[in-house]
Amino acid sequence: MAMTLRLTSEQDRALTLLAQAQGCSKQEAAIRAIVSAAARSLADDHIAQLATTLLPEHAALEARIRRSRT
């Protein structure tokens, strides 16, 4: 599916640098970044769900970890 991605000049420069570092096109670098972010997000959500479900006594620790990530 085709999509237009509008970037600021700074974002375009960051994507260019990412593509150069990965040795690929900017399109491929953007795709890799999206897939990587989605995988991390899903894994984080799964881990948080497990912690809440299986370890309710660690709710305060979970809250501290979430605050440190933002």
Side-chain angles (χ1 to χ4, degrees):
M1 176 179 290
M3 180 181 111
T4 300
L5 182 61
R6 292 178 178 82
L7 302 172
T8 66
S9 58
E10 292 84 11
Q11 292 166 335
D12 184 63
R13 178 75 177 132
L15 182 57
T16 299
L17 291 171
L18 182 61
Q20 289 173 348
Q22 294 179 353
C24 63
S25 69
K26 291 193 319 186
Q27 176 183 346
E28 182 63 26
I31 291 168
R32 289 177 183 179
I34 291 166
V35 170
S36 177
R40 281 192 315 271
S41 178
L42 294 174
D44 287 349
D45 287 346
H46 182 68
I47 290 167
Q49 182 183 16
L50 286 174
T52 302
T53 303
L54 301 176
L55 305 169
E57 67 275 10
H58 292 100
L61 176 60
E62 179 188 358
R64 274 195 358 246
I65 290 170
R66 286 189 175 281
R67 282 193 301 273
S68 72
R69 288 184 178 173
T70 57

